[in-house]
Amino acid sequence: MRQPLVVGNWKMNGSRKLTVDLLDSISNGIDAKIASEVAVCIPNVFISLATETVRSTNLTIGAQTVSEFEAGAYTGEISASMLEDIDCRWVIIGHSERRALYNETNEALVLKVLAAQQSGITPIFCVGESETDYKEGRTFKVIESQVTALLNNAMVSLDNLVLAYEPVWAIGTGLTATPEEAQEVHAFIRNLLRERSVELADEVRIIYGGSVKPTNAEELFDQQDIDGGLIGGASLDANAFISICQKA
Ligand code: PEP
């Protein structure tokens, strides 16, 4: 049985005040009866404040990227052990914005996954096809190359890993894959995981991202291999985010 997981991605939004207010509102709306695990990935500068704010709640805090290196002359970078030191539990790795805007390659992303796992932080590894790939029927080919780049590294552990399927054309656009389309890709990813480990493949959570809203969350989360969501825009609205968490 996989516990559903809902992860908010605030991207580069927020302030000290918004961090405290929004996390307070979300944690107040998520009571002990909620079945899903809930995390919020926020800008690094607010993580310490955030972990203090959610200390006695069901919410946990994550980051949105991490360095692949442990320490040293990497000006501007933040290491996984630094994130762990401030109680950060999760890190999004390979979000399509990082891949596209900062040229993050599969090779570097796999090193980031290893760095996170070695520090006890759970990586949320994102994969997804572009609009052109989708329209030209290359979805499965792209997903396979992104997932196998990760799984071919024998040091990557399936024990402490979340995968996120985010069709790039659905991120922030209001467009969403149909539940059936998304399920087909999630089942495909789980089969790739089975090639590594039949037992662990059924335990890895694969979450869906791309314009998830309170109105479409339920039908997506109802699918057998969709274990929750990675939520961008709607995670900045406490009521919408709480409603999505309740549907997971
Ligand atoms: C995201 O940025 O990961 C995302 C899914 O964004 P949105 O929900 O706004 O499409």
Side-chain angles (χ1 to χ4, degrees):
M1 234 338 232
R2 298 181 293 270
Q3 184 185 18
L5 169 68
V6 180
V7 181
N9 174 14
W10 287 3
K11 310 195 185 190
M12 197 175 72
N13 291 295
S15 60
R16 289 176 61 83
K17 180 168 170 19
L18 181 135
T19 298
V20 173
D21 291 352
L22 192 48
L23 291 175
D24 277 345
S25 304
I26 294 169
S27 56
N28 287 335
I30 292 174
D31 57 27
K33 284 186 288 186
I34 200 149
S36 53
E37 192 172 4
V38 182
V40 186
C41 294
I42 71 170
N44 286 344
V45 281
F46 303 127
I47 289 180
S48 288
L49 174 65
T51 55
E52 286 306 316
T53 307
V54 303
R55 193 159 295 286
S56 51
T57 75
N58 293 333
L59 268 180
T60 50
I61 300 299
Q64 300 169 10
T65 184
V66 67
S67 171
E68 61 266 48
F69 304 110
E70 177 48 35
Y74 303 104
T75 302
E77 291 290 283
I78 307 274
S79 73
S81 60
M82 291 172 184
L83 292 176
E84 193 276 334
D85 199 26
I86 53 171
D87 292 335
C88 177
R89 291 264 316 277
W90 313 83
V91 60
I92 298 171
I93 293 177
H95 189 282
S96 63
E97 288 154 16
R98 301 287 320 172
R99 289 179 188 261
L101 301 174
Y102 301 97
N103 301 319
E104 292 191 348
T105 60
N106 276 328
E107 292 68 34
L109 295 173
V110 172
L111 296 179
K112 288 172 190 265
V113 167
L114 291 174
Q117 289 188 329
Q118 278 154 16
S119 290
I121 294 177
T122 305
I124 301 167
F125 186 75
C126 301
V127 297
E129 79 285 6
S130 68
E131 185 175 14
T132 313
D133 288 328
Y134 173 68
K135 286 191 173 148
E136 295 180 1
R138 285 192 297 271
T139 297
F140 292 93
K141 202 163 174 277
V142 171
I143 300 302
E144 180 169 17
S145 74
Q146 293 172 338
V147 174
T148 53
L150 180 71
L151 299 182
N152 282 348
N153 187 312
M155 285 171 60
V156 169
S157 160
L158 300 194
D159 278 331
N160 183 26
L161 176 70
V162 171
L163 291 174
Y165 169 52
E166 297 205 297
V168 179
W169 50 270
I171 296 177
T173 58
L175 302 171
T176 323
T178 65
E180 295 74 24
E181 275 175 326
Q183 163 59 24
E184 217 187 323
V185 177
H186 282 234
F188 178 74
I189 295 172
R190 200 170 306 285
N191 275 333
L192 294 172
L193 289 166
R194 283 200 181 100
E195 289 172 17
R196 256 292 284 271
S197 163
V198 174
E199 301 82 56
L200 292 178
D202 281 324
E203 286 168 26
V204 175
R205 289 179 288 189
I206 308 173
I207 60 178
Y208 172 81
S211 299
V212 177
K213 300 182 272 295
T215 46
N216 60 17
E218 194 161 355
E219 50 179 10
L220 285 160
F221 299 162
D222 265 352
Q223 302 295 314
Q224 190 181 340
D225 289 288
I226 300 185
D227 305 314
L230 180 52
I231 319 298
S235 71
L236 289 163
D237 174 334
N239 290 334
F241 189 63
I242 292 163
S243 164
I244 292 168
C245 294
Q246 283 164 343
K247 293 191 160 104

